[in-house]
Amino acid sequence: MKHTTILSLVASSGFLGMAAANDRSATLPDPASVIPSPVIEKRDAYTCYGSTNTSVSDCQKIIDSILADAQQGFDIYSNVCAVWNQGTCKVRLCAQPYAVRPVSKTAAWLATYIASPLLDGCISKGNMGVLGDNPNIDSHAGTYRLWVY
């Protein structure tokens, strides 16, 4: 009987790859070739809603303050939010109530997704915006929500 071992690589951004190995040898894919570029991932979604008079320049000041230390990490626990306020702009990054482990994001990630799609796609058009890691934004599914309003 020949045994086959299946190895799978999973990261917080999703499934990275799988390899089948016979006789305990395996060739795994180069992580650099399978890690996605910093764009909205397939499972992430955002929507614009309502109307707001939020100033793009106020939101840009929040982005600048967050980027003051771009490598800073945020670990946000279930049902907890990190909040930034500047003039008319408010930003909230919240872990969903049923997240089983902390939501870990960097300041660079946060600033990137505030800027686009939320600032460019929503606030600049007079709408509030929310981004989440589940397409059903109105549910408790997924691990986080990022609001700009």
Side-chain angles (χ1 to χ4, degrees), residues 6-146:
I6 304 238
L7 305 171
S8 65
L9 300 172
V10 180
S12 62
S13 61
F15 181 73
L16 294 178
M18 181 178 282
N22 293 323
D23 301 325
R24 297 183 185 172
S25 64
T27 302
L28 299 175
D30 177 16
S33 68
V34 293
I35 295 176
S37 60
V39 296
I40 293 181
E41 297 178 29
K42 290 181 183 177
R43 66 186 181 129
D44 289 344
Y46 82 98
T47 190
C48 301
Y49 63 97
S51 62
T52 184
N53 63 355
T54 300
S55 163
V56 171
S57 64
D58 286 345
C59 291
Q60 188 59 53
K61 289 175 187 173
I62 290 175
I63 292 170
D64 293 343
S65 71
I66 290 169
L67 284 177
D69 185 4
Q71 297 309 310
Q72 178 180 341
F74 299 97
D75 290 326
I76 301 173
Y77 293 83
S78 177
N79 221 21
V80 174
C81 297
V83 179
W84 293 264
N85 291 303
Q86 177 65 46
T88 61
C89 187
K90 294 170 185 56
V91 173
R92 285 190 314 155
L93 174 62
C94 301
Q96 290 292 81
Y98 304 108
V100 295
R101 58 182 183 259
V103 173
S104 297
K105 301 293 181 189
T106 65
W109 178 94
L110 183 60
T112 297
Y113 288 104
I114 292 170
S116 179
L118 298 177
L119 188 60
D120 294 342
C122 300
I123 298 297
S124 66
K125 296 177 178 147
N127 301 113
M128 297 173 277
V130 61
L131 172 85
D133 61 346
N134 187 286
N136 189 354
I137 297 275
D138 292 329
S139 75
H140 288 296
T143 61
Y144 76 89
R145 294 294 183 272
L146 173 62

